[in-house]
Amino acid sequence: MTDAKADNFLEDLEHTHVVLFHEGGKETKNAEYNFIKNGLDKQEHCFYTTQNPQQILNEMKEFGIDIEGQSEFLHIVEIPEKFENYSKMILDKVSTLPSDSEIRVLSTHYFDFDSEEKTDRMAEIEQCVDDDFHKINGNFVCSFEVNQINEPIRARFLNQLLDSHKAVMFLRKEKGADVFTLP
């Protein structure tokens, strides 16, 4: 079952950099995969960045996404172990598309954010993506599992992420989605 509020919010966006804070679980995967599936149905180029490409492809197939039939539009991008050149990697891939191509990017971040150094580096990468966001003809969703961020640095990191995004979605297992656009 998907969260209609989350799905509608993501479908109604136009050219927006979104941060998705979640607790993990089936609701999160449903929101992420619906975002990709809806884009593929519209023949938009859909990028899914992950640390585990084969697992994501298997899950997408189970979800009902035709990964073979949509291979022209589905781009699975493996996130490097280290963050360096991450935003450049995404922008380089986007730059190879025809300029009129609508795109969607879903970037997952399942790192252990256990130090200020890691969170500062991730916030810097997010700011770089936002600075070059005008080069992306579509929507970019950055997905973070809140529980993977050490509690003593969590509030600081979440605030850093809000600075580089134009919309935020909180997706909770039991309570559904809360969505906001930012100035």
Side-chain angles (χ1 to χ4, degrees):
M1 188 80 180
T2 64
D3 185 290
K5 188 175 189 179
D7 290 344
N8 290 339
F9 179 72
L10 291 174
E11 288 309 305
D12 290 342
L13 296 174
E14 291 185 25
H15 196 75
T16 305
H17 190 195
V18 181
V19 63
L20 166 59
F21 296 128
H22 60 85
E23 298 173 328
K26 189 174 183 177
E27 298 82 3
T28 300
K29 286 298 176 192
N30 285 343
E32 291 175 351
Y33 292 155
N34 269 329
F35 177 69
I36 295 296
K37 185 176 185 323
N38 290 337
L40 292 171
D41 289 347
K42 295 176 183 178
Q43 294 193 325
E44 296 175 349
H45 285 273
C46 296
F47 293 82
Y48 191 107
T49 70
T50 179
Q51 291 156 287
N52 191 339
Q54 192 56 54
Q55 176 185 337
I56 295 305
L57 286 169
N58 293 341
E59 289 176 4
M60 284 183 172
K61 195 171 186 175
E62 273 183 43
F63 188 78
I65 295 174
D66 180 10
I67 60 173
E68 286 88 17
Q70 296 284 2
S71 62
E72 177 184 349
F73 296 100
L74 180 61
H75 311 275
I76 305 297
V77 180
E78 187 169 6
I79 296 174
E81 268 308 304
K82 298 192 177 207
F83 292 139
E84 286 76 18
N85 297 322
Y86 175 61
S87 63
K88 182 181 180 330
M89 178 184 67
I90 294 293
L91 292 171
D92 285 349
K93 295 215 180 272
V94 168
S95 72
T96 65
L97 299 174
S99 61
D100 61 342
S101 292
E102 285 281 329
I103 70 161
R104 292 174 183 228
V105 179
L106 179 68
S107 189
T108 60
H109 302 93
Y110 290 100
F111 296 99
D112 289 324
F113 291 106
D114 56 2
S115 71
E116 284 188 9
E117 180 183 341
K118 286 182 182 177
T119 59
D120 286 349
R121 182 68 182 126
M122 189 72 235
E124 180 183 317
I125 290 166
E126 290 292 341
Q127 189 59 58
C128 288
V129 169
D130 199 56
D131 290 346
D132 285 335
F133 191 73
H134 63 280
K135 297 177 183 175
I136 297 173
N137 186 23
N139 294 316
F140 198 124
V141 177
C142 303
S143 181
F144 291 90
E145 186 171 346
V146 174
N147 297 331
Q148 287 190 278
I149 306 165
N150 276 8
E151 193 168 344
I153 59 176
R154 187 178 297 156
R156 177 180 174 271
F157 183 43
L158 298 183
N159 279 319
Q160 285 176 304
L161 292 173
L162 292 176
D163 287 342
S164 59
H165 293 83
K166 305 298 181 243
V168 61
M169 181 185 324
F170 297 95
L171 187 57
R172 294 171 294 193
K173 289 180 183 177
E174 301 298 322
K175 297 181 181 178
D178 288 315
V179 296
F180 307 93
T181 54
L182 304 170

